[in-house]
Amino acid sequence: MSNFNISIFIVSVIIFSGCSEKEVIIPPFQIEDAGRTVLIEELTGVRCPNCPSANARLESIKFLYGDNIIKVAIHGDLLTTPLPESRFDFRNPHASQLENSFRPLLGKPSIVINRKILPGFNLMANPVQDQWQSLIESELQKEQILGMTASISEIEENWIIDVAILPVMSITGNLSIHAWIIENHIIDPQQDVNTIIMDYEHNNVFRRMITPIEGHFLGDRFERNSIIQHSISWDRNALSPLGKEDHLHIVIFLTNGNGEVEHAVQYRLRI
């Protein structure tokens, strides 16, 4: 792992919207050693009988590494039809689009780690649970090439997400930014082997993309320590929470020209 600790300040900006204005202050931007992150896209479903135990395994790994792991539960097409007892339907067109982008899919539970085909399995969506921890740890040990921070503000009915990205080395190659909404603490039934857990807590549930599936293109050449700034606007009325609004989070991640994830962050959406 690289040995660096960079701290810079980004000048605040004023965003105008009609007659209203609100200052957006991006906090001191700090990149610390061990700042590498891993995005885990968990392919799951309420009718997946082995998904609760797989999720528990992932949660134990996340417990070890905290915010260095960003986990998103994607309820696409397979095993996702709501149960008769379900109050909610976690399926949506964006989740279906994502799941299909990872095919071929041998079954669920499976996970996608930083959108890479990693050693030990020849597909991106990996169902071999005994491999998960070592593969995740291997990704965490790789050198960090980017840091990222974001601030979220509200102007009228829009969320404004201002992102600052800092390359810690010069980068040549395409870079794109993605933003998604996920939701935590949703209590709803879940199939578990031969029973149904009526009060199962669903977390990190993918709700929708803010950016297109390919992301927003940022460029193809970046200098070391040269800040990249990008703003994303989203109509806050475009999505209603299944539970409480303050359980909504935004996941922001960067992909390279091969579609692999270089860095990811997560923030609570409510201001």
Side-chain angles (χ1 to χ4, degrees):
M1 237 175 243
S2 61
N3 230 352
F4 58 82
N5 188 323
I6 300 173
S7 178
I8 61 175
F9 287 84
I10 300 173
V11 178
S12 65
V13 299
I14 303 291
I15 293 180
F16 294 91
S17 178
C19 296
S20 63
E21 64 182 54
K22 190 167 185 177
E23 187 175 18
V24 179
I25 301 177
I26 299 177
F29 187 30
Q30 294 183 325
I31 303 177
E32 311 247 345
D33 193 19
R36 175 80 176 177
T37 58
V38 171
L39 176 67
I40 299 173
E41 294 167 88
E42 179 187 8
L43 305 179
T44 187
V46 297
R47 290 181 180 266
C48 171
N50 295 314
C51 284
S53 60
N55 180 66
R57 182 188 290 251
L58 290 173
E59 286 298 321
S60 69
I61 299 171
K62 182 169 173 56
F63 179 80
L64 293 175
Y65 297 104
D67 292 341
N68 293 80
I69 291 179
I70 310 295
K71 187 162 77 74
V72 178
I74 298 170
H75 295 252
D77 295 330
L78 180 64
L79 300 175
T80 56
T81 302
L83 297 161
E85 301 87 352
S86 297
R87 295 171 54 216
F88 304 117
D89 186 348
F90 298 140
R91 298 174 299 176
N92 61 72
H94 289 171
S96 176
Q97 187 180 13
L98 278 173
E99 185 173 294
N100 287 327
S101 74
F102 298 133
R103 291 186 181 276
L105 177 62
L106 294 188
K108 290 182 177 179
S110 290
I111 66 170
V112 177
I113 303 171
N114 275 350
R115 297 194 170 178
K116 296 179 179 180
I117 297 176
L118 297 170
F121 198 71
N122 62 352
L123 299 175
M124 193 177 295
N126 187 331
V128 186
Q129 295 187 39
D130 288 343
Q131 295 181 357
W132 290 356
Q133 183 163 348
S134 62
L135 292 174
I136 291 167
E137 290 174 341
S138 177
E139 282 296 296
L140 286 170
Q141 290 166 7
K142 292 180 180 178
E143 187 174 20
Q144 182 182 1
I145 67 170
L146 292 159
M148 179 165 53
T149 189
S151 67
I152 304 168
S153 58
E154 183 183 355
I155 298 179
E156 295 180 350
E157 295 300 315
N158 291 320
W159 295 115
I160 307 296
I161 303 105
D162 286 288
V163 184
I165 303 156
L166 182 70
V168 297
M169 61 180 66
S170 295
I171 300 171
T172 301
N174 292 353
L175 198 65
S176 297
I177 188 168
H178 308 251
W180 295 352
I181 301 298
I182 64 173
E183 186 169 348
N184 288 331
H185 309 304
I186 305 171
I187 306 301
D188 213 43
Q190 168 69 45
Q191 183 76 42
D192 183 19
V193 191
N194 295 319
T195 189
I196 294 175
I197 304 173
M198 295 301 295
D199 58 350
Y200 188 82
E201 182 174 330
H202 298 267
N203 287 305
N204 311 298
V205 176
F206 173 84
R207 296 298 313 281
R208 67 164 295 153
M209 301 178 203
I210 297 177
T211 54
I213 191 168
E214 68 274 11
H216 288 167
F217 180 66
L218 296 175
D220 59 6
R221 187 176 297 273
F222 307 94
E223 298 299 323
R224 179 179 180 269
N225 290 344
S226 179
I227 303 165
I228 308 160
Q229 292 184 307
H230 187 76
S231 184
I232 300 168
S233 177
W234 180 59
D235 181 359
R236 62 174 295 168
N237 297 315
L239 177 71
S240 298
L242 299 175
K244 297 180 179 180
E245 187 178 33
D246 61 359
H247 292 165
L248 294 174
H249 288 238
I250 184 168
V251 171
I252 306 167
F253 62 98
L254 303 169
T255 55
N256 61 29
N258 296 321
E260 299 170 343
V261 176
E262 293 289 359
H263 198 69
V265 294
Q266 177 178 331
Y267 296 96
R268 179 170 290 184
L269 189 57
R270 187 177 176 86
I271 297 177

